[in-house]
Amino acid sequence: MKPSVKYRVIYRHKDKYSISKMCRFFGVSRSGYYDFVARMEIPDKDLPIAEKIKECQGKCGKTYGYRRVHLWLEGERIYRNPKTILRIMQKYDLLSVIRRKKYRKYTDVIHRYPNILNRNFKADRPNKKWVTDISYIHTSQGVLYLSVIRDLYDNSIVAYKTSTTQNVALVLNTIKAAKKKEKVTAELQLHSDQGFQYTSHGYFKLTQSYGITPSMSRRGNPYDNSLAENFFSILKTECINRVKLKTFNEARLLIDQYIYFYNNQRIQLKTKLTPLEKRSQFTA
């Protein structure tokens, strides 16, 4: 236990127990304790900057890293070293809640798959080639994660799920919803990037049990899964970015409405049909 933590405990119980006895119990000096108390009386010089950073993170849904926060503060005519900004963000728990996968440690088995799709985004029938990915939807409450599966035959959204947590369960629930809705055969390819959800053992077991063949983008090649990214671009341009979402429920409702419109009513320029019109032609 750090001395500062011990000093805080002593300070909290100073009216109940003897300070000398508590210092002996925790193995710290009285002079060290009184120095700590003296420092406590000094206003925290970082607090004003922390309040501005908190304001910034509130506006962006706590998605900015320290570099973007640094730029935002400069726009507010507040000039500090970027490393100082990082220290204050760490001190006050104001770090970004996203894009921190490289710091994760997983004990799960990691499964990798070949790039079977290989940017061949054409399918001659439904449920032959699916692509999947996760995107971030920013709200005033925080980040809502959206997982989708898109069929490359007609570009329809076969299934989607949302969650306030980016985890393996979000992906597995999306696949389960797709399986419940569509007829899956052994020829089905499900293409993803190399996100931790898709390399997990849970993903491996579920795709194996459904007879789905996983395909995976090459490392550092976002174009390998560009058709999944393309849908998120359409969704955000035509829907999400046009409003300021306040709550998770508001975001979910908007996503539901847009995906229904996208599948059933939005005409595609290449086919001159909606996705589900093209799909129904195949099964007719």
Side-chain angles (χ1 to χ4, degrees):
M1 186 186 297
K2 294 181 179 180
S4 60
V5 177
K6 297 178 180 179
Y7 293 145
R8 289 183 186 279
V9 174
I10 295 171
Y11 183 81
R12 194 179 305 126
H13 297 90
K14 67 182 187 302
D15 297 326
K16 189 175 182 181
Y17 301 106
S18 163
I19 290 174
S20 297
K21 289 181 179 179
M22 285 191 289
C23 286
R24 285 197 298 272
F25 178 80
F26 285 109
V28 295
S29 66
R30 290 182 62 201
S31 60
Y33 166 74
Y34 286 116
D35 285 342
F36 173 81
V37 172
R39 290 194 299 271
M40 285 179 61
E41 304 301 325
I42 301 173
D44 188 345
K45 64 179 181 179
D46 293 331
L47 189 58
I49 304 298
E51 290 296 330
K52 293 299 292 185
I53 296 173
K54 185 177 180 180
E55 178 187 341
C56 172
Q57 292 290 46
K59 290 181 177 180
C60 71
K62 209 172 183 183
T63 62
Y64 278 8
Y66 75 93
R67 294 181 181 88
R68 284 190 171 85
V69 170
H70 173 251
L71 293 174
W72 185 89
L73 289 172
E74 286 190 340
E76 298 288 309
R77 299 182 182 277
I78 300 172
Y79 304 99
R80 295 291 188 279
N81 185 288
K83 297 301 182 182
T84 300
I85 301 302
L86 175 60
R87 178 183 60 77
I88 295 173
M89 291 174 70
Q90 291 171 332
K91 178 178 178 181
Y92 288 91
D93 192 25
L94 293 170
L95 294 171
S96 166
V97 297
I98 64 172
R99 296 184 181 181
R100 302 183 69 188
K101 288 190 285 187
K102 63 182 179 180
Y103 300 114
R104 293 175 181 264
K105 291 184 179 179
Y106 299 102
T107 57
D108 204 357
V109 177
I110 295 178
H111 296 270
R112 306 283 188 190
Y113 309 97
N115 184 13
I116 300 172
L117 186 64
N118 197 27
R119 300 191 191 178
N120 182 2
F121 300 125
K122 292 183 179 180
D124 56 11
R125 61 175 175 79
N127 303 329
K128 185 174 183 179
K129 296 178 182 179
W130 288 353
V131 293
T132 186
D133 203 355
I134 296 173
S135 188
Y136 309 105
I137 307 297
H138 302 297
T139 78
S140 297
Q141 280 190 314
V143 177
L144 184 69
Y145 299 97
L146 170 63
S147 168
V148 304
I149 293 176
R150 192 183 197 188
D151 193 320
L152 295 185
Y153 171 72
D154 52 18
N155 288 327
S156 65
I157 300 305
V158 176
Y160 66 98
K161 289 290 182 179
T162 60
S163 175
T164 56
T165 305
Q166 186 185 20
N167 54 23
V168 176
L170 173 60
V171 167
L172 302 187
N173 289 336
T174 310
I175 298 173
K176 290 174 183 177
K179 174 67 165 58
K180 188 175 181 180
K181 180 183 174 185
E182 299 292 330
K183 183 179 180 180
V184 173
T185 68
E187 296 180 7
L188 173 63
Q189 298 174 17
L190 179 57
H191 186 84
S192 70
D193 62 19
Q194 294 193 24
F196 72 91
Q197 301 93 340
Y198 307 111
T199 61
S200 69
H201 193 59
Y203 183 84
F204 170 78
K205 287 174 61 179
L206 188 64
T207 53
Q208 288 286 304
S209 68
Y210 287 166
I212 295 173
T213 303
S215 173
M216 187 167 280
S217 298
R218 291 164 293 182
R219 190 172 184 84
N221 283 270
Y223 295 110
D224 286 351
N225 202 24
S226 59
L227 265 291
E229 293 286 347
N230 170 258
F231 171 74
F232 291 136
S233 176
I234 294 170
L235 170 69
K236 292 180 180 180
T237 300
E238 297 186 0
C239 179
I240 299 299
N241 293 345
R242 297 175 62 185
V243 297
K244 187 173 183 179
L245 297 169
K246 295 181 180 179
T247 66
F248 294 135
N249 286 338
E250 185 180 341
R252 290 188 181 100
L253 178 61
L254 198 62
I255 291 167
D256 289 343
Q257 292 173 341
Y258 183 80
I259 291 181
Y260 179 85
F261 162 76
Y262 175 85
N263 278 341
N264 295 275
Q265 299 171 4
R266 187 179 184 274
I267 299 172
Q268 299 186 76
L269 295 178
K270 288 185 178 180
T271 64
K272 299 181 174 59
L273 301 170
T274 68
L276 293 190
E277 281 176 342
K278 181 178 179 181
R279 200 176 193 85
S280 64
Q281 284 187 349
F282 181 86
T283 56

